[in-house]
Amino acid sequence: MTDPVPDVPQWDEFERLNALGSYDILDTEREQAFDDVVQLIARICETPIAVVNLIDADRQWFKAEVGLGVRETPLATSFCAHALLLEDGMQVPDATVDPRFECNPLVTGDTHLRFYAGQLLKTQDGLPLGTLCVLDTQPRPEGLTEVQAMALRTLAGQVMSQLELRRTLIQRAKSEETTRRALAASNYVGAWDWDVPGDRIVADERFANIYGVDPKVAAQGAPLSAFLRNVHPDDAVRVEAEIDALMITGGAFLSEYRILHEENGERWIQARGHIYLNDEGAPVRFPGIATDITARRRQDAHLAEAVLQLADSEARFRSLADAMPQMVWSSPPDGHPDYYNARWYAFTGTTPGSSEGQGWDNLVHEDDRARGQTLWRQSLESGEPYEVEYRLKHHAGGYRWALARAEAARNEAGEITRWFGSCTDIDDLKRLEHERELVSQELSHRIKNIFAVVSALVALSARQHPEARDFATSLRTRINALARAHEFVRPHTETSQPAVGVTTLHAFFHDLFSAYADEKGQGRVLISGDDTVFDDQSATSVALLFHELATNAAKHGALSASRGRVNLNTRHEGDRFILSWRETGGPPINGAPTRNGFGSSLATLSVETQLGGRLEREWRPEGLQMVVDLPAAALSRRRAAGKSL
């Protein structure tokens, strides 16, 4: 469920846009710090799209994005504009059933957005600037997990810390530039010249005003104490000590301290000068200038605060990574991991820090190590995602199967800046798959025995009822054809598999038609054209169809004559697969049969109903010609289903 949207926002739009403008962020180039955030949150939330989104007056602009490929879109189609009206953000499990978005072009159009989760990016004054959000083309009725929601909140805070840091640095640069221009225009903020033996400081009007001394008195000369009187008590002792030290050595003087001014309050001053000594080593003169650096010192304080916030956000990220159920790791572009979360060390039982660099390699089973290294090097060279299953050493002893995955984060130039990866314990799943395979093989073996029992029962019945012998013979051949088809595609053990051969359509046909070879063992059904992958979900239908064709050809068609032949051609045509059966050399045909027998009905049923194709027969004088037009996916339904996921 989503939070109700209030009728009126709790902030002023003009004030919000002014706050957004103060960050000077809109229409700037991409920056790695923000790109890393969207790459990471997309992986954590397992979504194809993640965005750092800032809401302008009439558009939404993306400081960083993954999965969109654009930098801005119209505000009218924005999910995040709705999120601004909420306290912190929102989740939309299925946009097609949400009245706010069911007519949105991003939902109804080619983009097919369904799921949305966004966390507000708010200033310290509570003004919303935009969101850190993730989107998916599949609905998520359950929304984000607790860890994913925590990650979204944490990384949204990191984005705001980056924005604050960026603004602070920009403001500091602007302040320094302003100060530089002011000094260039006026040459100084305030200047003094101290006659040290006479303790008389002559200063200009600006300097006198900064230190709270009457300009007329300063023009004639006043003692040092008159100017130190308004130095902040916390700085006064230090400044006097710095002056006293240079009175002995002479040389350049540089000090920053605070002045307490009745009208302007506390101001930061930078004093820069030089103490000159006479031939006897006594100080005689100390001229210099003073600059008001209050703005810079405040910016330094803001910068320090922003750095602390960034460090705090980094600490929260590490806490989040440690809380995740997966083992999480990260690597620079060279492929030597420099970070693992606590889950990794808990799983492996190793000392924190020991796996960094190449240390992880020794934890992989020696039989899987070379394969894992090879795939990792290939990913480092190509930039393609890394995925491998291997056995990983467990703290309890022995090894457990793990699924390792990694993807590269890239900068705007497409260069890899970092790899983010995870390892998931799949040992229980592997054991379950093995158990299922054993059960499948056992079931397949029992089915094979059933075919043999049924065939034997038909033969026994034929001996007891001679009048049904022809029917029994025909039934047995069909059962045996099904048995051969089942043997070809059933699950096999390592010992039985080599006897079966490669599961392709042509290999299946060669096995099925082997019984029709001539006296020299040469095949009389000649197979040509394109081969294709073939699986058990279509084997039965294909076996019934071509067994009936071969049986009829042996009884009445081309295979009933010694010189007769059948040409079976298979070919791909786009998304279709065409099988052409052409008989030659058999008895002449005077026309189509006057009625369809059981075999013809069975063939039509197999093609049109079970395989979803079309069947056309042409009874030519030289023999039957038949064309079977099938969807290419009909011959390998499991593979087609896997590609559609």
Side-chain angles (χ1 to χ4, degrees), residues 21-204:
S22 70
Y23 288 86
D24 199 17
I25 189 75
L26 295 176
D27 298 313
T28 57
E29 297 294 327
R30 300 185 72 139
E31 297 178 45
Q32 190 61 47
F34 296 95
D35 287 345
D36 285 346
V37 169
V38 295
Q39 291 276 358
L40 181 59
I41 195 62
R43 283 191 56 78
I44 292 175
C45 294
E46 299 178 344
T47 59
I49 302 172
V51 179
V52 173
N53 182 24
L54 300 173
I55 304 299
D56 202 359
D58 57 357
R59 60 171 179 160
Q60 53 179 353
W61 181 81
F62 310 137
K63 177 59 180 173
E65 59 82 24
V66 59
L68 282 181
V70 296
R71 296 299 300 277
E72 66 177 63
T73 58
L75 197 59
T77 61
S78 172
F79 280 60
C80 298
H82 290 270
L84 293 188
L85 300 176
L86 302 178
E87 184 64 26
D88 287 312
M90 71 175 183
Q91 291 193 41
V92 179
D94 188 350
T96 61
V97 296
D98 192 313
R100 296 171 296 177
F101 308 107
E102 59 185 3
C103 296
N104 191 304
L106 297 179
V107 176
T108 60
D110 294 338
T111 309
H112 295 297
L113 291 184
R114 295 293 181 266
F115 173 74
Y116 170 89
Q119 185 69 27
L120 283 184
L121 304 174
K122 296 193 296 186
T123 67
Q124 295 180 352
D125 296 330
L127 294 173
L129 306 178
T131 63
L132 172 64
C133 60
V134 294
L135 303 98
D136 202 342
T137 56
Q138 300 295 327
R140 291 194 184 183
E142 73 283 358
L144 297 180
T145 66
E146 181 179 353
V147 171
Q148 290 170 339
M150 177 183 174
L152 192 62
R153 292 192 299 270
T154 300
L155 293 179
Q158 187 169 5
V159 170
M160 279 308 304
S161 296
Q162 289 286 350
L163 288 174
E164 293 292 347
L165 177 61
R166 189 181 185 282
R167 181 171 68 168
T168 298
L169 292 173
I170 291 175
Q171 290 178 344
R172 176 178 177 180
K174 289 181 178 179
S175 176
E176 290 179 346
E177 178 63 14
T178 300
T179 301
R180 186 192 66 78
R181 291 180 179 181
L183 286 174
S186 60
N187 295 325
Y188 60 86
V189 172
W192 82 86
D193 191 356
W194 182 21
D195 174 9
V196 178
D199 190 19
R200 189 170 65 91
I201 296 178
V202 176
D204 62 14

Side-chain angles (χ1 to χ4, degrees), residues 371-384:
R371 176 168 49 89
Q373 290 175 336
T374 299
L375 292 175
W376 182 226
R377 284 194 297 268
Q378 291 175 356
S379 292
L380 292 176
E381 293 172 0
S382 66
E384 294 297 320

Side-chain angles (χ1 to χ4, degrees), residues 455-465 476:
S455 181
L457 289 175
V458 172
L460 180 61
S461 298
R463 287 195 295 271
Q464 295 175 348
H465 301 280
R476 285 189 66 197

Side-chain angles (χ1 to χ4, degrees), residues 286-316:
F286 183 6
I289 63 171
T291 306
D292 187 336
I293 59 169
T294 304
R296 180 174 66 79
R297 293 293 298 223
R298 288 176 180 172
Q299 294 298 332
D300 288 344
H302 290 159
L303 178 61
E305 182 180 356
V307 170
L308 289 175
Q309 290 177 353
L310 189 60
D312 180 62
S313 180
E314 176 71 15
R316 290 200 300 270

